[in-house]
């Protein structure tokens, strides 16, 4: 998800209306495989409500489209680096 903040709650301190932000829309970043995405699969909506702790400021040089796709690419790479815990046969 990448967008501009429309409104904030009274206890929010890191963001204000108009800030450009993005969010990974994931359930558990420490999980592996499909468990990362369980219960939060995407963000196709006109408005979303997100916890302040899950949002990050979007850099000016990054488009909203790039910011929205960044978490998927990052978690795909991270899962590849972590590797599989199962024994896998080599394919020749």
């Amino acid at each position: 998800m990448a967008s501009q903040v429309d409104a904030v709650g009274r206890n929010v301190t890191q963001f204000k209306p108009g800030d450009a932000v993005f969010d990974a829309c994931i359930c558990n970043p420490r999980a592996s495989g499909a468990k990362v995405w369980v219960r939060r699969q995407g963000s196709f909506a006109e408005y979303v409500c997100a916890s302040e702790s899950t949002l990050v400021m979007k850099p000016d040089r990054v488009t909203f489209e790039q910011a929205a796709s960044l978490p998927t690419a990052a978690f795909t790479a991270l899962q590849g680096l972590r590797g599989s815990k199962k024994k896998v046969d080599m394919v020749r």
Side-chain angles (χ1 to χ4, degrees):
M1 182 280 302
S3 187
Q4 288 187 335
V5 174
D6 186 57
V8 297
R10 64 177 173 225
N11 295 325
V12 173
T13 60
Q14 295 180 356
F15 305 103
K16 64 186 182 312
D19 284 347
V21 296
F22 69 102
D23 181 0
C25 292
I26 61 170
C27 181
N28 181 0
R30 295 179 188 262
S32 63
K35 293 177 185 175
V36 170
W37 307 102
V38 174
R39 293 184 304 277
R40 292 188 72 192
Q41 298 178 3
S43 58
F44 292 111
E46 188 172 346
Y47 289 93
V48 297
C49 182
S51 172
E52 179 179 25
S53 64
T54 66
L55 296 172
V56 178
M57 292 290 282
K58 181 187 77 62
D60 292 336
R61 67 183 181 278
V62 176
T63 67
F64 283 102
E65 294 83 5
Q66 290 168 332
S69 66
L70 181 63
T72 301
F75 281 110
T76 300
L78 180 61
Q79 289 172 359
L81 290 171
R82 286 181 177 166
S84 174
K85 294 180 181 169
K86 298 177 183 176
K87 186 175 179 181
V88 179
D89 292 331
M90 290 191 82
V91 178
R92 293 181 190 233

